[in-house]
Amino acid sequence: MSDGASAIGVLALQGDVVEHLAALRRAGAQARAVKTREQLEGLDGLVIPGGESTTVMKLLRRFGMDEPIVERVREGMPLWGTCMGMIVASRGVEGLQQPTLGVLDVIVRRNAFGRQNESAEVDLNVPVLGGQRFPAIFIRAPWIERVGPGVELLASRDGHGVMVREGNVLGTSFHPELSGDERVHAYFLAMVDAARTTQRTIGKRSSAA
Amino acid sequence: MEQTGTDTVKRGLAQMLKGGVIMDVVTPEHAVIAQEAGAVSVMALERIPADIRAAGGVARMSSLELIQSIIDAVTIPVMAKVRIGHFAEAQVLQSIGVDYIDESEVLTPADDKYHIEKRAFTTPFVCGARDLGEALRRIAEGAAMIRSKGEAGSGNIVEAVRHMRAIGDAIRELTIAPKEELVARARDLGAPLELVTAVARDGKLPVVLFCAGGVSTPADAALMMQLGAEGIFVGSGIFKSNDPKRFAKAIVDATTHYDDPKVVADASRSLGISEAMPGLDVRKLADSEMLSSRGN
């Protein structure tokens, strides 16, 4: 494992990939688009962007990327899903038989705030980002219907969960990559740094033993 | 603070569709096939462009019952078309909750001079363009997404290539134009200076650019993506082929991996002996039969 800037992949099967790559770079990471199993190698963290969850889940399966991602996340690689990405990461979708990766122990409700006419910009209170509200952009956004015991609720809108974390997995209903405010990206990069430190410590211990 | 209908959320939905395929569908069953194949969105309409072309007469907004049945059948966003300039049709589509409105040359224009003032709407609009000036005029009117026009229902990619190249070439030219030329360039393009200046600075349109009009094979989709399209509209190409399920999936795969010829080859091979839609020689179409020349 190399020192220096973290290598973050953005899943590039479909969606707003370049927006995430740009925001990650502004926040100080090395970011690259990931479209194949092979490109998952050597990543310190992975972002699943906004897009269409039915499309991306099918493509993950068709191109054999679903299992390797689940494996890497279970080994500790941080994962962040925005909107579609959170749906794909979740344990399931309320009322639909939609396959997901099941690495984030939440049930989501799709298009929960409404269709496109209800898509909105909202000043959101996100305590982990500090006192200043976050300019959150919701587009046909899901909310979090139910959470498992290990899940931390980080932000809510109108009483519905819209940002959660379970260990190394982060989920947001909204799109920080469109906000021009990199605080959520910085928060995720801090998760990645912490995971790299842990991995290094484990590595040192096992080589000492 | 909570604001709907902003430029950011209108343009944002198109950003979420990037890298994907939007398919024309005429029944809820088609819509389900499209979603199952991996479409990011469907365009609900009564007749696909090839059939509109064959039927002649006046093509209008589709029946609301049909559009509603398609909205109810899928979870992906649903788009629908209105006639150029027909803002009352657009008001109706907005009121039933369509996700994107296509002010489309495929339908018979309602206004031969003016397009809809699209800023007045909460629902975002996509519009067609043959060149950069046309694209920027539509954006100035409030379009949140642009598609190159191509020639809908022709099964012939040549017009789509012409329009995508025209847009790309004009953008590249602007990026190297000296500052003192921008006012004259804006005049020649027939577009507002502020948009021309933004394109010269960014080297891209301020909204997402898809390709439409003539895509009928996986290789067509890969070609258009390599020419700079950020996603693909397929109209007649899927449901005028003789195996819509396979064509839909193959075009999705080729759009995703447009830069990997092996995947495009696999997608093409998956079609076996299925046949693409029959194509038209657009040079033999009379001017009055060209859909792309409607609206400017």
Side-chain angles (χ1 to χ4, degrees):
Chain A
M1 188 161 302
S2 63
D3 285 308
S6 302
I8 309 294
V10 178
L11 187 71
L13 293 173
Q14 189 274 314
D16 69 333
V17 177
V18 296
E19 290 81 352
H20 262 299
L21 290 172
L24 285 164
R25 285 168 191 151
R26 286 195 298 268
Q30 283 181 9
R32 61 171 199 248
V34 171
K35 252 174 144 173
T36 63
R37 292 169 72 116
E38 295 71 36
Q39 290 167 347
L40 287 167
E41 297 293 322
L43 292 179
D44 298 311
L46 180 69
V47 173
I48 306 183
E52 275 309 311
S53 58
T54 52
T55 304
V56 167
M57 199 58 215
K58 280 176 215 302
L59 293 170
L60 280 170
R61 288 186 161 183
R62 262 180 224 168
F63 296 102
M65 296 179 76
D66 52 341
E67 285 174 11
I69 290 174
V70 169
E71 205 170 292
R72 292 292 311 276
V73 172
R74 297 233 157 101
E75 286 165 9
M77 179 185 72
L79 173 75
W80 173 22
T82 56
C83 193
M84 170 277 273
M86 182 176 77
I87 297 169
V88 166
S90 75
R91 188 153 58 77
V93 182
E94 182 74 23
L96 293 172
Q97 296 294 323
Q98 185 176 334
T100 56
L101 295 178
V103 291
L104 176 62
D105 190 10
V106 300
I107 299 294
V108 298
R109 181 180 291 276
R110 287 187 55 196
N111 307 331
F113 291 99
R115 304 185 66 86
Q116 174 61 15
N117 286 343
E118 283 72 52
S119 291
E121 298 186 51
V122 178
D123 282 335
L124 198 66
N125 181 26
V126 188
V128 293
L129 300 181
Q132 203 189 344
R133 285 175 170 260
F134 189 82
I137 294 157
F138 291 84
I139 296 174
R140 284 172 48 96
W143 69 44
I144 292 140
E145 191 81 14
R146 292 193 296 283
V147 300
V151 178
E152 228 181 317
L153 187 61
L154 300 180
S156 297
R157 174 184 166 198
D158 304 336
H160 302 285
V162 293
M163 180 170 174
V164 285
R165 176 174 175 184
E166 182 188 17
N168 58 329
V169 184
L170 180 67
T172 54
S173 297
F174 50 97
H175 295 280
E177 72 278 15
L178 301 183
S179 291
D181 178 328
E182 275 77 56
R183 281 180 291 159
V184 185
H185 287 81
Y187 178 85
F188 178 66
L189 292 180
M191 284 172 59
V192 172
D193 281 344
R196 289 173 79 193
T197 307
T198 311
Q199 295 280 336
R200 236 186 330 253
T201 314
I202 294 168
K204 271 183 197 154
R205 266 191 218 133
S206 50
S207 59
Chain B
M1 187 216 71
E2 187 166 324
Q3 260 189 306
T4 57
T6 61
D7 279 352
T8 301
V9 298
K10 287 175 169 178
R11 294 174 179 185
L13 179 55
Q15 288 169 282
M16 301 311 145
L17 302 178
K18 283 193 292 183
V21 181
I22 301 169
M23 301 182 190
D24 279 2
V25 297
V26 299
T27 65
E29 293 74 27
H30 278 183
V32 171
I33 290 173
Q35 179 168 278
E36 281 304 306
V40 291
S41 174
V42 290
M43 177 76 68
L45 68 177
E46 265 166 13
R47 283 198 292 246
I48 54 177
D51 292 338
I52 291 174
R53 187 182 281 290
V58 174
R60 311 181 182 89
M61 176 180 78
S62 297
S63 92
L64 299 188
E65 197 184 347
L66 174 77
I67 295 170
Q68 190 63 52
S69 69
I70 288 169
I71 288 175
D72 294 340
V74 293
T75 58
I76 54 180
V78 175
M79 304 187 173
K81 291 183 192 292
V82 299
R83 286 177 267 178
I84 289 173
H86 206 315
F87 53 83
E89 282 185 348
Q91 289 162 353
V92 169
L93 289 187
Q94 171 165 284
S95 78
I96 69 165
V98 158
D99 295 296
Y100 240 93
I101 298 171
D102 184 1
E103 186 181 19
S104 177
E105 69 283 3
V106 169
L107 304 184
T108 311
D111 190 323
D112 60 5
K113 277 180 95 170
Y114 303 110
H115 282 69
I116 297 171
E117 159 50 21
K118 292 167 272 285
R119 293 194 187 282
F121 290 77
T122 304
T123 310
F125 280 74
V126 55
C127 288
R130 287 163 296 175
D131 54 41
L132 181 61
E134 196 174 356
L136 294 180
R137 286 191 291 281
R138 296 296 86 77
I139 295 167
E141 294 157 358
M145 179 181 190
I146 294 293
R147 53 175 175 75
S148 58
K149 278 179 170 173
E151 186 57 26
S154 71
N156 189 337
I157 199 69
V158 66
E159 294 298 304
V161 169
R162 192 198 317 278
H163 300 157
M164 190 56 71
R165 281 203 185 274
I167 293 169
D169 289 348
I171 291 174
R172 281 184 288 276
E173 244 177 62
L174 278 185
T175 61
I176 56 166
K179 255 203 170 111
E180 66 271 19
E181 290 185 9
L182 291 182
V183 170
R185 297 233 180 206
R187 177 199 62 206
D188 296 344
L189 285 165
L193 177 61
E194 61 191 64
L195 287 175
V196 171
T197 307
V199 170
R201 181 191 63 218
D202 302 335
K204 63 186 289 298
L205 293 180
V207 304
V208 167
L209 172 64
F210 269 47
C211 159
V215 173
S216 37
T217 68
D220 284 348
L223 173 69
M224 298 315 299
M225 293 295 285
Q226 289 184 55
L227 286 175
E230 295 179 285
I232 303 285
F233 280 89
V234 190
S236 316
I238 289 170
F239 292 100
K240 271 286 159 188
S241 73
N242 68 1
D243 193 342
K245 273 186 197 173
R246 283 198 206 190
F247 265 85
K249 180 177 168 295
I251 290 175
V252 169
D253 288 357
T255 301
T256 304
H257 287 288
Y258 67 89
D259 49 358
D260 183 347
K262 278 191 201 134
V263 178
V264 180
D266 286 343
S268 308
R269 206 177 286 123
S270 76
L271 299 174
I273 53 162
S274 310
E275 279 178 34
M277 69 177 287
L280 298 174
D281 185 345
V282 292
R283 290 171 308 179
K284 292 188 180 146
L285 294 176
D287 287 348
S288 63
E289 293 175 308
M290 293 291 283
L291 302 177
S292 56
S293 57
R294 295 168 168 180
N296 183 24

